[in-house]
Amino acid sequence: MKFSRLIALCLVALLAAGCGGNTMPDPGTDDGTMMDDGDMADTDGFEDRGLGDGEFLDEFDDSDELTMVIYFDFDQSTLRADYADLLQQHASNLANDSRSQIRLEGHADERGSREYNIGLGEQRSQAVRSLLLIQGASAGQISTVSFGEERAAAFGSDEESYELNRRVEIKYVN
Amino acid sequence: MKDFLVRWLMIPVLLLTFAGAAYAQLEVIITDYVGKRAPVAIVPFGWEGDTPSAPFDIDNVITEDLKRSGRFAPIAEGGMLQKPTERVDLDFDDWRILKVDAVIIGKVVQTGANVYSVQFQAFDVNSQEQLIGYRMPASRGTMRRVAHRAADMIYEKLTGIPGVFGTKVAYVTARGTGDDRLYTLVVSDTDGENQFTIMESTDPIMSPAWSPDSRELAYVSFEGDAATIYVQTLRSGNRIKVSSRAGINGAPAFSPDGRKLVVTLGGLGGNLDIYVLDLATRQFSRLTRHRAIDTEGTWAPDGRSIYFTSDRSGGPQVYRIEVGGGTAERVTFEGSYNARPRLSPDGKRVALVHLDRGNYRIGVLDLDDKDLLIVSNGTQDESPSFAPNSDSIIYATREGRNGVLEMVSADGLYRQRLGSRAGDIREPVWSPFPRY
């Protein structure tokens, strides 16, 4: 009972303030003062007095629930087929809400020349952009930027890290 | 390519420390050396002033500069049979015994509260003739520069090649991870001293480029999650936003007359092409029009053509195009990856990033005989930049997870590392000659 209420509380807080990423207190310790000083600081401990009941969300209820990172094969900017549904959903979000805007951030792995990698990252952003435009988003809703190898998601010099770094991140900017 | 099998002779790691430096983020470590070093003697300079010792150790800087050049082996002070500071006291027999080729003497004379005169003379031990003698005014604040200048003059007299000890290097450092990552654009002397922060940001900084008068740096900043090219005046710190179009604004490089930048623009459609930006009129003129990635433009020293990277043939290769337009001509043919070209100031060679059997290394392409010489031995070497005397190249390599800088002679025979205690260092660019 207590655990499910915690999850509900977190989901509400996630919607209200985007608490994703903060460490949640261990539900096993019932000390109400052991709160993170981050996004949940204005809640009153684990008692959800005054908050009302939370609700569970459908899978695509909010764009924040969609996968926001798309990965690419080595030296490739073509989209893998298994991203088709995901990108269709993002395109629908944009088509259904003309005020909605995204920024596509293209990235490359660290190998090779830096400015050339900016080019590779941009080609990946553009591959995503083209598909979203075909699927109903309008050009004014999408901006692109390429960080090349400058903002790595993983810092190792190995294939595992390279795979995590060859990516496009979708950022909803409003 | 000819089979350039360079035999690297590893000498013990040598740490050079610099007197008077409270701390240095970079330190010089000689990593590889093949070839003969000429033995020379730099005699401790004399001092005439109202304090017990000179305010700055000029001869130490000269000694370290000559040592770092890779061409000289200064003998230790303890082995000297005499320590003359003027010509009249110099006995060539004492130096012939030590088998030194040249002896350098000098002194610092105080003539005012913060006014000094620095003089030096270099002599050929065999002919017993003066090679060069010079006197310069100095203050405590200019002593280091005066010492580097003296080393430059001596080096040129002894080798016939202008010295680059008085030049600067600009580079980018990155520290921390995630939201705490901090990028810094730094200018320092080539020995790592005199570090000066030009710009600091939590967003990436890329592609610094010197103006030909060395008063300005162009660079790319991602402040606000968009790529923007700035030109910043070093002395004042003022900067001008020169290119902030939609999409990519990248890879700036000054024209030899300093009036234009070659840049890469991507636009909304993200097709990277080479443009020339006139800094006075702010007009862009498009130089390439190709759906491939065209980027990393750089000017030939004569200002008439631009070399750049393009993957129009499949993988990245170096191309050349006239500034007035025309057809791009392919320059590199060897291997599947040649990128980021930078020309030697004498226009004879191109330094580039070459994929060499799985490793990204620095190659030097001779434009006359088309030979490609691999001069680095790392796995992810990048961003080569020629010294203004065309004799050395600085580039970035890896040491564990961090980037560090290395300098290599253009013939690949002498290499040294600028070690780091300051995070990830990348994108070194060698300044033009200083103005005297």
Side-chain angles (χ1 to χ4, degrees):
Chain A
M1 162 56 193
K2 189 173 182 184
F3 188 63
S4 63
R5 285 175 66 189
L6 178 72
I7 290 174
L9 178 66
C10 181
L11 284 171
V12 169
L14 185 72
L15 281 174
C19 80
N22 269 359
T23 315
M24 287 306 297
D26 180 359
T29 61
D30 61 357
D31 182 352
T33 62
M34 209 186 103
M35 292 303 297
D36 201 290
D37 63 355
D39 299 327
M40 291 180 67
D42 59 344
T43 63
D44 188 18
F46 284 105
E47 301 297 322
D48 57 0
R49 276 191 305 257
L51 271 182
D53 290 332
E55 57 176 330
F56 289 96
L57 300 172
D58 292 336
E59 187 181 359
F60 293 125
D61 193 64
D62 186 276
S63 57
D64 282 345
E65 298 293 304
L66 282 177
T67 298
M68 303 305 250
V69 187
I70 291 164
Y71 297 98
F72 292 80
D73 292 335
F74 174 63
D75 210 23
Q76 292 295 316
S77 55
T78 46
L79 290 160
R80 294 182 204 156
D82 50 349
Y83 287 119
D85 289 347
L86 173 71
L87 289 171
Q88 179 62 63
Q89 196 59 49
H90 281 293
S92 300
N93 281 349
L94 293 170
N96 293 339
D97 181 1
S98 60
R99 293 163 306 166
S100 194
Q101 292 195 324
I102 60 168
R103 181 174 64 240
L104 300 172
E105 300 182 349
H107 299 268
D109 70 42
E110 65 181 8
R111 288 172 291 179
S113 188
R114 286 176 182 271
E115 284 281 2
Y116 182 68
N117 283 342
I118 291 283
L120 293 179
E122 179 72 6
Q123 286 190 338
R124 288 172 182 149
S125 294
Q126 291 293 336
V128 175
R129 177 174 175 267
S130 302
L131 191 61
L132 294 178
L133 292 179
I134 290 166
Q135 293 177 332
S138 57
Q141 292 179 287
I142 307 172
S143 64
T144 62
V145 64
S146 173
F147 290 107
E149 62 181 278
E150 309 303 319
R151 273 198 183 149
F155 283 90
S157 293
D158 48 56
E159 190 48 48
E160 208 168 296
S161 298
Y162 298 156
E163 280 176 17
L164 290 172
N165 288 333
R166 289 190 300 265
R167 69 198 194 278
V168 169
E169 296 190 13
I170 302 169
K171 299 271 174 78
Y172 281 76
V173 290
N174 60 338
Chain B
M1 182 173 88
K2 281 180 196 164
D3 191 10
F4 284 100
L5 197 64
V6 179
R7 286 163 297 129
W8 297 108
L9 175 68
M10 298 297 293
I11 67 164
V13 168
L14 184 59
L15 288 174
L16 309 184
T17 53
F18 297 91
Y23 78 104
Q25 287 190 345
L26 300 176
E27 61 195 20
V28 179
I29 305 163
I30 311 288
T31 50
D32 299 291
Y33 177 66
V34 175
K36 187 179 178 299
R37 294 155 162 270
V40 294
I42 299 112
V43 182
F45 277 24
W47 163 240
E48 296 170 14
D50 56 18
T51 52
S53 61
F56 189 81
D57 199 346
I58 298 264
D59 51 278
N60 182 58
V61 171
I62 296 173
T63 302
E64 297 302 333
D65 280 348
L66 293 182
K67 201 187 280 181
R68 219 158 15 87
S69 75
R71 292 172 188 264
F72 297 100
I75 67 166
E77 184 188 331
M80 295 178 185
L81 303 175
Q82 62 160 187
K83 292 178 186 172
T85 60
E86 291 179 43
R87 172 70 183 87
V88 287
D89 301 322
L90 185 60
D91 182 349
F92 284 103
D93 290 338
D94 284 353
W95 301 99
R96 205 170 283 128
I97 292 169
L98 297 174
K99 294 189 164 55
V100 296
D101 292 350
V103 57
I104 294 144
I105 61 172
K107 64 180 178 181
V108 180
V109 179
Q110 184 172 16
T111 56
N114 186 19
V115 188
Y116 304 87
S117 166
V118 174
Q119 68 172 57
F120 67 88
Q121 292 166 285
F123 298 91
D124 183 320
V125 172
N126 288 316
S127 69
Q128 305 195 2
E129 280 171 7
Q130 177 175 300
L131 297 166
I132 185 172
Y134 203 73
R135 181 183 294 141
M136 285 178 274
S139 65
R140 282 188 288 276
T142 64
M143 284 280 182
R144 181 176 290 279
R145 274 190 289 150
V146 164
H148 284 314
R149 190 180 177 197
D152 279 336
M153 296 171 82
I154 293 164
Y155 183 85
E156 179 162 12
K157 216 62 188 173
L158 294 177
T159 66
I161 301 164
V164 289
F165 307 118
T167 59
K168 304 271 186 186
V169 175
Y171 52 87
V172 176
T173 70
R175 272 171 289 178
T177 53
D179 291 343
D180 294 329
R181 200 148 173 83
L182 188 66
Y183 299 83
T184 311
L185 176 59
V186 179
V187 169
S188 81
D189 293 353
T190 55
D191 59 10
E193 293 294 324
N194 267 338
Q195 287 179 29
F196 193 74
T197 296
I198 302 303
M199 209 301 240
E200 207 166 54
S201 174
T202 51
D203 295 307
I205 303 169
M206 279 184 78
S207 303
W210 289 94
S211 67
D213 64 6
S214 68
R215 292 171 200 261
E216 297 168 324
L217 280 176
Y219 59 87
V220 178
S221 170
F222 286 84
E223 292 155 65
D225 292 319
T228 303
I229 301 173
Y230 290 94
V231 172
Q232 183 162 331
T233 304
L234 299 186
R235 188 171 289 273
S236 67
N238 292 337
R239 65 176 192 174
I240 303 167
K241 191 184 280 190
V242 297
S243 183
S244 56
R245 295 190 155 192
I248 286 172
N249 299 266
F254 278 93
S255 61
D257 65 8
R259 292 177 180 168
K260 292 170 182 167
L261 284 180
V262 58
V263 300
T264 299
L265 299 180
L268 280 176
N271 175 26
L272 280 70
D273 276 313
I274 303 286
Y275 291 73
V276 171
L277 166 62
D278 185 311
L279 288 167
T281 65
R282 296 298 172 81
Q283 296 296 306
F284 290 89
S285 59
R286 188 171 187 168
L287 208 51
T288 68
R289 192 179 292 274
H290 199 287
R291 59 188 199 81
I293 294 174
D294 290 349
T295 187
E296 302 177 336
T298 189
W299 299 74
D302 65 7
R304 292 208 289 248
S305 61
I306 283 169
Y307 288 69
F308 63 100
T309 307
S310 175
D311 63 1
R312 58 187 65 192
S313 69
Q317 296 290 344
V318 174
Y319 291 75
R320 176 185 166 277
I321 191 167
E322 298 288 323
V323 171
T327 313
E329 159 201 16
R330 186 166 166 180
V331 174
T332 54
F333 292 92
E334 189 173 318
S336 61
Y337 194 112
N338 293 290
R340 231 304 282 248
R342 284 295 181 270
L343 272 85
S344 58
D346 64 12
K348 292 178 179 169
R349 288 174 287 199
V350 182
L352 45 78
V353 177
H354 175 76
L355 182 58
D356 178 36
R357 290 162 295 176
N359 298 306
Y360 294 89
R361 290 183 171 158
I362 306 305
V364 177
L365 179 73
D366 188 310
L367 287 174
D368 275 340
D369 62 22
K370 310 293 183 203
D371 266 339
L372 182 68
L373 174 68
I374 305 303
V375 295
S376 75
N377 63 356
T379 56
Q380 287 192 38
D381 303 340
E382 60 186 20
S383 305
S385 170
F386 268 100
N389 65 1
S390 299
D391 200 44
S392 302
I393 297 161
I394 192 166
Y395 59 94
T397 186
R398 288 297 174 101
E399 185 179 78
R401 284 185 177 183
N402 282 333
V404 294
L405 307 184
E406 283 188 344
M407 293 179 187
V408 64
S409 57
D411 58 12
L413 294 182
Y414 175 72
R415 184 162 54 232
Q416 60 192 315
R417 176 165 293 190
L418 287 164
S420 159
R421 282 173 260 148
D424 191 11
I425 306 187
R426 72 282 287 280
E427 297 200 86
V429 271
W430 214 312
S431 80
F433 282 118
R435 301 176 308 278
Y436 288 124

